Amino acid sequence: MNKTTTATNNTCEHILDVGEKLILNLGFTAMGLNELLATAGVPKGSFYHYFKSKEKFGEALLNRYFSDYVITSKERFADPNKTQRQHLLDYFSLWMTQSCQAACHSKCLMVKLAGEVSDLSEVMREALDHGVTRVIAQLRSSIEAGVEEGSLAIDETPELLADSIYSLWLGAALRAKVSRSDAPFISAMQRTERLLKPIA
């Protein structure tokens, strides 16, 4: 990779990094393009070199977010010293811990943008839907592996259980955001432990 390519990639990633931080604090609609450019310290021409519009920027940001999220989660689920049930419970425990460290004010791009942009941008809605589908598929694979290794006993199909648990936690994240309380996460964790039953 030559220096020009490296600089180009760095500029693009820098704009995405700054934009993600602003959106998590302000929301997508409230984040003005001028504010993004000023904070990132890049000219408008640089932005439009990488993104045709603010909407396309949002799509790229979501695609990057979910790709990084899935890769990181895959690494966590790969520890051979833990059962898949332990991996799943650790995954949701980390979700709760990270959210509550932020005073239950969501730092998850999915939670932040789902309600805001789904009715405003079909492109971003599709990016969200595709990303969530990837996350649920990862949970399903872990549940399937847990059943196969004998660490999990489940009462429904892995597909349905993965979808149900993710929806449970998405709802908990939204409730925690509204109530500024960790109670919805605690309730979701207790329910998850019951759904992901250990082999008796």
Side-chain angles (χ1 to χ4, degrees), residues 45-191:
S46 293
F47 178 87
Y48 285 111
H49 174 73
Y50 302 111
F51 315 105
K52 292 181 179 180
S53 64
K54 184 182 175 184
E55 182 182 48
K56 283 295 184 180
F57 164 78
E59 179 188 22
L61 182 61
L62 286 168
N63 287 338
R64 185 187 74 153
Y65 171 79
F66 280 111
S67 291
D68 291 347
Y69 187 93
V70 168
I71 290 171
T72 301
S73 297
K74 185 176 181 180
E75 292 171 351
R76 291 196 179 106
F77 280 106
D79 184 351
N81 296 314
K82 293 183 178 181
T83 66
Q84 288 301 316
R85 182 176 189 271
Q86 289 173 315
H87 283 312
L88 286 160
L89 294 179
D90 286 349
Y91 170 87
F92 291 111
S93 179
L94 181 63
W95 186 341
M96 177 170 65
T97 299
Q98 290 180 336
S99 296
C100 291
Q101 283 176 345
C104 291
H105 181 71
S106 177
K107 294 301 178 184
C108 170
L109 209 58
M110 165 61 193
V111 175
K112 186 73 175 182
L113 294 183
E116 180 184 358
V117 305
S118 292
D119 291 332
L120 299 177
S121 167
E122 183 64 12
V123 168
M124 292 181 67
R125 185 201 65 75
E126 289 178 352
L128 282 163
D129 186 47
H130 177 65
V132 168
T133 298
R134 292 176 66 189
V135 173
I136 292 174
Q138 192 173 55
L139 295 176
R140 183 202 68 224
S141 294
S142 181
I143 292 170
E144 289 173 341
V147 172
E148 185 175 347
E149 74 184 9
S151 67
L152 277 177
I154 60 176
D155 296 326
E156 50 199 293
T157 66
E159 292 84 358
L160 182 58
L161 184 57
D163 190 272
S164 297
I165 291 179
Y166 186 82
S167 295
L168 169 68
W169 278 82
L170 183 57
L174 292 171
R175 282 282 292 115
K177 184 178 178 181
V178 171
S179 65
R180 290 289 194 269
S181 166
D182 62 357
F185 285 119
I186 293 173
S187 177
M189 194 69 205
Q190 292 171 343
R191 176 64 176 158

Side-chain angles (χ1 to χ4, degrees), residues 10-12 14-19 22 32-47 50:
N10 287 343
T11 301
C12 182
H14 176 61
I15 295 172
L16 289 168
D17 287 340
V18 172
L22 288 173
L33 182 56
N34 288 336
E35 181 174 13
L36 170 59
L37 298 177
T39 305
V42 297
K44 185 175 292 187
S46 293
F47 178 87
Y50 302 111

